[in-house]
Amino acid sequence: QVQLVDSGGGWVQAGESLTLSCKASGSIFAINTMGWYRQAPGKQRELVTRMLSSGRTEYADSVKGRFTFSRGGTRNTVYLRMSSLKPEDTAVYYCNADISPDSGSSFFTYWGQGTQVTVSS
């Protein structure tokens, strides 16, 4: 069974930085896309950033130049470095990945449990 565990959220003041982590574990044969989404109160979940299987990384316009997606030493761990945080970045952040559990299996979408980021002005 595949599990995504995301962590690193917290409370910061505007202009400060935070780094979120996400680790995928369990039966993993291949990982296609990994990324981060966020959901603010009363709003729909939106894409923040994702790394495609080609290696290309996409960012939402609202975070370009401030957020950086990176992979850890193993393919199963990714990070989101968030700098120059703004109050409008306040949301629950979710790790997301498309994973094939075993050879010949389709890819399925998995989500972390979410980690709260609160930015005060």
Side-chain angles (χ1 to χ4, degrees), residues 7-8 11-12 28 30-31 34 37-40 48 53 58 64 70-72 77 95 98 102 106 115-116 120:
S7 62
W11 181 91
V12 297
I28 298 173
I31 299 176
M34 285 193 81
Y37 287 69
R38 68 185 180 186
Q39 188 166 19
V48 176
S53 57
E58 299 177 335
K64 280 181 183 175
S70 63
R71 281 199 121 105
T77 303
C95 180
D98 291 333
D102 53 59
S106 300
T115 184
Q116 176 71 46
S120 66

Side-chain angles (χ1 to χ4, degrees), residues 16-31:
E16 294 184 340
S17 300
L18 271 178
T19 299
L20 307 183
S21 303
C22 173
K23 183 174 182 178
S25 62
S27 175
I28 298 173
F29 175 73
I31 299 176

Side-chain angles (χ1 to χ4, degrees), residues 63-103:
V63 307
K64 280 181 183 175
R66 299 189 298 121
F67 289 13
T68 304
F69 179 98
S70 63
R71 281 199 121 105
T74 69
R75 63 170 185 165
N76 295 359
T77 303
V78 295
Y79 303 96
L80 179 64
R81 173 69 175 172
M82 305 184 294
S83 301
S84 303
L85 282 161
K86 304 175 181 180
E88 50 264 45
D89 294 318
T90 295
V92 179
Y93 285 71
Y94 297 91
C95 180
N96 165 276
D98 291 333
I99 295 173
S100 173
D102 53 59
S103 175

